[in-house]
Amino acid sequence: MTASSCILAIDQGTSGTKSLVFDSKGNICAEATIPLKTSYFGEGFVEQHPEDIYKNVLQSVRACLQQYQSTGASLSAIVSCGISNQRETFLLWDEFGSPLCNAVVWQCKRSVDVCYEMQSLDLGNVIHDKTGLFIDPYFSGTKLIWLYRNNPEIQKAIKAGKAYFGTVDTWLLYRLTKGEAYLTDYTNASRTLLFNLNTLSWDRELIALFGLEGIRLPEVKPSSYAFGSSHFEGLFKRALPVQAMIGDSHAAAFGEACIYPGTAKATLGTGCSILFNVGTERRNSNSGMVSTICWSTEDRVDYALEGIIVSCASPLAWLKTELGLLTDFAEAENMATSVTDNNGVYLIPAFSGLGAPFWDMNRKASLEGLTFSSNKNHIVRAALESIAYQIQDVLSAMKQDTGIPIQELMVNGGASSNNFVVQFLSDLLEAKVIRNENKNVSAFGAGFLAGLKANIFPDLDSVQSLYHRHPIAKTTQVAKVAEAYRGWQRFIHATKS
């Protein structure tokens, strides 16, 4: 490949699709985002139209390529494509490629009763041992069972062996290749409740246990692989190889340089996903973490533990809209730094229960340690501090599970732009905290994996050299922050639901 070789990276997310073209040095040449409609119904149903997803991707790619060509660049320089996608969302279609139902989005809660039933049958341990996952509506398998039981057409198609299952990556590849390629990657397969992490294959015992014999499943490959090629409905004169497919959170981990054991990424959004690379052997958790695939090539499969924090930055929205303590999120940083400490105030952000490592869904949010000397700045600071405390709780549990020390934590997402949060986190952790100001980490992760397969990048070290790393130096407040964390631990463990 020449130094001018470029990669098309597609990040198909829940709210829309972002496409970008970047060169072999990691410079963005063009980018475009097209929003995608999601339908929300009663009883927690969340769906997207299969054709809308496919057209949304084509529209995004078309807009990106138009911008790319407007600079005088030639499409012939684009030699590879990588795709990242919203995880757990899945589709079903028949032997003719016609959808059997709408795409069931990862947020959908229709299978709550199915989960209760599976738990009552004491299936949790066998499912966790095989898949690394918990029984939860979040994962695809329980909603597939619901469809089988409640949609006669789907039940008939599955029994007849004519129902094709696929996560969004598989659907896009199937459509882009005119039905020639029916494949997925390890990361997407690992989020379905149907995939065995130990054998890296579909688990036929679980499929039979779920009553889904006859379901057609895609062949599973590493994330960096020659999946097929496509003209993208005429956007390219020659077929462009699709050489990477990977779930978006896993793509973000690779895009954040979580390439070696001991590295982790935390996406600080409404909630927080922490993905910790544990190396080439699966590690199990005794503290409420999901065991999953981190990323993979044909020569290597890296595993991960994942911890989900339910309420990360969302308490700030509550302080703004319900209590009126701030008028703009940008104010939060100045309010937190206007006081020297939290004055003993702690916000336990269990507005929707507590996630990892506690998994206490009945816990309620609370403000602790209030006195007459407390003011709104202390409360806002407590909300920001809770982000760092929860991340520390998860990383401590991961270290205890694996025996692997956390060496580096890469942070991204909206709340990572808050300097107080990132600095407080750096002072709290016994690890290097690195902020990535790249807003396209999932797209870059998929693109880098495609570039590895296309030999644009010769090895992992050459990929790592492209990351723009901004380490956060510790301050003189380390001991003070550690003492504040001990206060958090007293409150977080004091009240059980």
Side-chain angles (χ1 to χ4, degrees), residues 78-246:
I78 303 174
V79 298
S80 184
C81 173
I83 299 174
S84 69
N85 60 282
Q86 49 175 311
R87 303 184 302 172
E88 291 88 28
T89 297
F90 72 93
L91 305 93
L92 293 170
W93 59 93
D94 63 20
E95 68 268 37
F96 306 109
S98 299
L100 294 170
C101 60
N102 282 336
V104 181
V105 178
W106 59 272
Q107 297 164 310
C108 186
K109 300 294 184 183
R110 71 182 67 189
S111 60
V112 169
D113 289 342
V114 173
C115 293
Y116 286 146
E117 177 187 328
M118 295 169 74
Q119 290 166 350
S120 70
L121 295 173
D122 200 25
L123 297 178
N125 287 336
V126 66
I127 288 174
H128 184 68
D129 289 344
K130 287 173 174 285
T131 69
L133 307 178
F134 302 112
I135 298 171
D136 193 276
Y138 184 70
F139 304 112
S140 316
T142 62
K143 289 172 283 197
L144 179 59
I145 294 170
W146 188 96
L147 285 174
Y148 178 84
R149 293 178 177 178
N150 292 274
N151 188 313
E153 180 184 358
I154 288 175
Q155 183 177 119
K156 180 179 178 182
I158 289 176
K159 286 183 176 180
K162 295 181 178 181
Y164 290 72
F165 170 93
T167 42
V168 170
D169 61 315
T170 302
W171 170 245
L172 294 176
L173 182 71
Y174 189 88
R175 291 295 306 274
L176 288 170
T177 62
K178 310 296 184 185
E180 292 183 4
Y182 182 46
L183 305 166
T184 190
D185 91 301
Y186 293 146
T187 66
N188 280 293
S190 73
R191 313 298 293 190
T192 62
L193 284 177
L194 308 176
F195 186 75
N196 191 311
L197 280 188
N198 304 310
T199 62
L200 295 180
S201 61
W202 299 114
D203 193 295
R204 295 296 166 183
E205 290 184 359
L206 283 181
I207 292 167
L209 185 65
F210 297 160
L212 297 172
E213 299 101 323
I215 189 75
R216 301 289 290 269
L217 297 168
E219 191 173 353
V220 190
K221 298 295 183 182
S223 305
S224 180
Y225 184 81
F227 286 96
S229 58
S230 174
H231 291 87
F232 284 79
E233 303 289 356
L235 294 179
F236 291 92
K237 291 182 179 179
R238 56 172 179 78
L240 181 68
V242 177
Q243 294 178 304
M245 297 200 308
I246 183 169

Side-chain angles (χ1 to χ4, degrees), residues 449-466:
L449 286 164
L452 281 171
K453 180 61 182 175
N455 293 318
I456 295 174
F457 311 118
D459 51 35
L460 290 173
D461 288 337
S462 66
V463 172
Q464 190 176 37
S465 68
L466 298 176

Side-chain angles (χ1 to χ4, degrees), residues 318-319 323 325 345-348 364-370 378-380 382-383 491:
W318 176 73
L319 294 179
L323 298 189
L325 297 189
V345 177
Y346 291 86
L347 173 61
I348 309 300
K364 303 299 182 183
S366 62
L367 266 172
E368 308 287 353
L370 290 174
H378 295 125
I379 295 173
V380 170
F491 284 119

Side-chain angles (χ1 to χ4, degrees), residues 367-378:
L367 266 172
E368 308 287 353
L370 290 174
T371 65
F372 281 125
S373 64
S374 304
N375 61 45
K376 64 180 181 180
N377 296 325
H378 295 125

